[in-house]
């Protein structure tokens, strides 16, 4: 199972770092993606990192503000979020795939339960 943590409430312009860990196996056997879903909206891909860390993908809406990284020693993938905006408010999920990297949810077979991020003044 994938487990997300690090969500919370923050003011616009603030920062949060989300963590994704696995209680089942090694995350470095998979490409990992971060997705988010706001109420009434479709799930969207935010960032993804492949196994070798040679490919980092970002949605246009978060480029320059979000950074995805791996820590293989800790079996974790992180999403550092800076300069947060109210429109970043959503439930954030991490997911794993062995189909390569991408920001399409259909590619991902394993999902966490999500962590809520709320950006509001």
């Amino acid at each position: 199972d994938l487990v997300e943590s690090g969500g919370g409430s923050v003011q616009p312009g603030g920062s949060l770092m989300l963590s994704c860990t696995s209680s089942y196996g090694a995350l470095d056997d998979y490409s990992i993606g971060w997705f988010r879903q706001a109420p009434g909206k479709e799930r969207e891909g935010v960032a993804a990192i492949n196994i070798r860390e040679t490919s980092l993908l970002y949605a246009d809406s978060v480029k320059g503000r979000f950074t995805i990284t791996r820590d293989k020693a800790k079996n974790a993938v992180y999403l550092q979020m800076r300069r947060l905006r109210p429109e970043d408010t959503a439930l954030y999920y991490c997911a794993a795939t062995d189909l390569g990297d991408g920001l399409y949810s259909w590619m991902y077979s394993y999902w966490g339960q999500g962590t809520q991020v709320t950006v509001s003044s």
Side-chain angles (χ1 to χ4, degrees):
D1 292 343
L2 300 180
V3 180
E4 303 93 340
S5 61
S9 295
V10 65
Q11 292 186 341
S15 300
L16 284 173
M17 187 167 75
L18 306 184
S19 299
C20 175
T21 58
S22 172
S23 59
Y24 179 74
L27 290 182
D28 54 358
D29 289 340
Y30 300 91
S31 295
I32 303 298
W34 282 97
F35 294 79
R36 66 186 182 187
Q37 188 165 20
K41 294 188 176 182
E42 293 187 356
R43 186 175 297 182
E44 65 168 333
V46 174
I49 184 168
N50 68 346
I51 293 173
R52 297 183 180 182
E53 303 178 55
T54 55
S55 175
L56 305 177
L57 302 177
Y58 296 97
D60 288 343
S61 58
V62 306
K63 281 181 181 176
R65 301 188 299 122
F66 290 12
T67 305
I68 187 170
T69 57
R70 282 186 184 270
D71 186 333
K72 294 185 178 181
K74 294 184 177 180
N75 196 32
V77 174
Y78 305 102
L79 185 68
Q80 176 68 57
M81 306 186 296
R82 297 183 175 90
R83 303 199 305 276
L84 283 161
R85 305 168 179 168
E87 54 264 39
D88 294 319
T89 295
L91 188 61
Y92 282 72
Y93 302 88
C94 68
T97 179
D98 56 6
L99 297 179
D101 58 337
L103 293 177
Y104 302 104
S105 57
W106 61 262
M107 296 178 59
Y108 291 78
S109 301
Y110 309 99
W111 293 81
Q113 295 299 307
T115 185
Q116 179 68 38
V117 171
T118 302
V119 185
S120 174
S121 56

